[in-house]
Amino acid sequence: MRKTRHSVDTPTYTQQLPSGSGIDAHRHDDHQVVYAARGVLSVTTEAGTWIAPSTRAIWVPAGTLHEHYAHGDTQLHLLGIAVGYNPLELDTPAVLAVGPLLRELIIAYTRTPEDRSPERDRLHAVLLDQLRTSPETPLYLPTPASALLRALYDLLRDDPADNRTLNQLGQQIGASDRTLSRLFRSDLGMTFPQWRTQLRLHRALILLADGAPVTTVAHQCGWSSASTFIDVFRRTFGHTPGTHLAT
């Protein structure tokens, strides 16, 4: 990631981002909650990428160098939170579940950043309470540090439907499945199947944001059938891919 600007203030506002656009790498001194009420948004740091549809938000701690990228026409809501407040007690980025109440609170608060009324202060307090109880969701695709894992990532990023076993993939990049399994656990903190599922879900969200049919997404991302994909998607996001397309 390129060395970039530093913003002392963390603004609160709403912005429309066309598909394929983004916000260049930057960091700020306060925390930030990033929410896409429409479209899909990804946040990338040197450690990896977090991605969120409209039922999720991304927590970005103060001082984190990061960039935003929009998949599909995206209605972006950016919420700055003073560094003295950390309702989640997290010092690394995270994806959070966004229920109907939290969604409306974020939208209302970010649409009136110039408001300094007592009513807005109370809205802010309720919003922090809702964030405090928002469950974290494992939608994180870490960036491999190992050269072997980067080679594997390059293979599957270009073709997530590649269903070869870890042993078969290892033969192509010159590593045993035992070595690769160890690297996944030590470097990325997850198993190969867990990591591949994350990679496929990330790609699926991007394809859905671009309007691809559910069956097409399922096959392009490596699921054996649309029903299998729908089941994994529902268990991860709490709704079906078709519902996601409609948001």
Side-chain angles (χ1 to χ4, degrees):
M1 185 180 295
R2 300 184 305 275
K3 179 175 172 57
T4 61
R5 58 191 170 89
H6 169 217
S7 173
V8 175
D9 296 323
T10 306
T12 293
Y13 64 100
T14 299
Q15 179 178 358
Q16 303 295 324
L17 288 179
S19 183
S21 66
I23 301 174
D24 289 342
H26 62 285
R27 60 185 177 89
H28 29 68
D29 290 347
D30 291 328
H31 306 302
Q32 186 177 64
V33 173
V34 185
Y35 174 65
R38 183 179 65 250
V40 171
L41 186 84
S42 61
V43 169
T44 298
T45 75
E46 293 178 346
T49 298
W50 291 256
I51 193 165
S54 61
T55 57
R56 300 292 185 269
I58 302 175
W59 166 261
V60 183
T64 303
L65 181 63
H66 64 287
E67 58 189 14
H68 308 289
Y69 194 84
H71 307 281
D73 290 335
T74 300
Q75 184 185 85
L76 180 63
H77 297 266
L78 295 166
L79 169 64
I81 298 177
V83 70
Y85 295 95
N86 190 335
L88 299 163
E89 298 183 355
L90 293 173
D91 57 6
T92 57
V95 175
L96 312 172
V98 175
L101 176 57
L102 181 54
R103 170 188 168 89
E104 296 306 318
L105 287 168
I106 293 173
I107 290 173
Y109 193 81
T110 56
R111 279 181 174 167
T112 58
E114 69 288 346
D115 185 1
R116 296 294 183 269
S117 67
E119 290 81 7
R120 181 173 170 80
D121 291 339
R122 291 194 289 271
L123 179 62
H124 183 263
V126 176
L127 202 162
L128 291 181
D129 282 341
Q130 287 295 306
L131 284 172
R132 193 172 292 112
T133 59
S134 180
E136 187 177 349
T137 306
L139 284 174
Y140 165 49
L141 188 64
T143 299
S146 159
L148 287 173
L149 293 188
R150 287 198 302 271
L152 184 61
Y153 172 70
D154 289 341
L155 287 176
L156 297 183
R157 177 189 57 194
D158 294 338
D159 182 15
D162 187 336
N163 278 314
R164 283 181 291 174
T165 65
L166 188 58
N167 181 57
Q168 292 168 328
L169 291 165
Q171 290 175 12
Q172 180 169 343
I173 63 175
S176 69
D177 57 347
R178 178 175 297 180
T179 295
L180 292 172
S181 293
R182 176 179 53 79
L183 287 171
F184 271 107
R185 289 191 298 270
S186 62
D187 290 10
L188 303 183
M190 59 181 69
T191 65
F192 171 63
Q194 290 171 332
W195 179 84
R196 178 147 65 179
T197 298
Q198 291 293 305
L199 178 71
R200 288 174 170 176
L201 284 171
H202 277 231
R203 178 61 65 84
L205 284 171
I206 292 169
L207 291 173
L208 289 169
D210 288 337
V214 170
T215 300
T216 299
V217 175
H219 291 309
Q220 289 189 2
C221 293
W223 277 281
S224 58
S225 66
S227 60
T228 302
F229 166 54
I230 291 169
D231 181 60
V232 173
F233 195 96
R234 182 192 292 113
R235 284 189 280 111
T236 303
F237 298 107
H239 61 275
T240 65
T243 303
H244 171 75
L245 278 169
T247 60

